[in-house]
Amino acid sequence: MEEMKAKQNKRRTGSDEDTMRPEYDFSKAVRGKHAARYAAGTNVVVLEPDVAAEFRTAKEVNDALRAVAGILRRRRNASRKAG
């Protein structure tokens, strides 16, 4: 029991001892690799499986959404001019 308390206290003191497990290898990690993209406001949208099955790449999804957005934009502009 005393040994358990000693371990808990050791963790709380913030010792410099390396406690990383050997199976976690971050030696080739790049700090902040995706930070710029994240900060730029990238939106992640999860597609339903039936929708995702229609597209092979992210470019195809983006092209389709741009086409739909263009149609919506033209429709809005047409209704403003008519009204």
Side-chain angles (χ1 to χ4, degrees):
M1 184 126 141
E2 288 298 318
E3 187 177 316
M4 184 184 247
K5 285 183 181 180
K7 277 187 177 181
Q8 288 174 346
N9 288 338
K10 189 175 187 179
R11 287 183 189 154
R12 290 184 188 148
T13 61
S15 71
D16 290 337
E17 183 181 332
D18 183 13
T19 57
M20 183 68 70
R21 292 182 177 182
E23 62 264 27
Y24 298 123
D25 180 14
F26 294 104
S27 62
K28 295 179 180 139
V30 177
R31 185 178 195 99
K33 182 177 182 178
H34 303 286
R37 188 171 179 190
Y38 177 79
T42 299
N43 292 326
V44 176
V45 177
V46 179
L47 302 175
E48 295 290 327
D50 61 318
V51 175
E54 299 298 322
F55 302 98
R56 290 177 287 171
T57 64
K59 182 182 180 328
E60 288 183 2
V61 174
N62 288 324
D63 290 346
L65 289 172
R66 285 184 183 101
V68 171
I71 292 167
L72 294 173
R73 200 175 308 113
R74 285 190 297 276
R75 193 183 274 177
R76 264 183 276 167
N77 289 339
S79 67
R80 287 181 188 157
K81 289 178 184 177

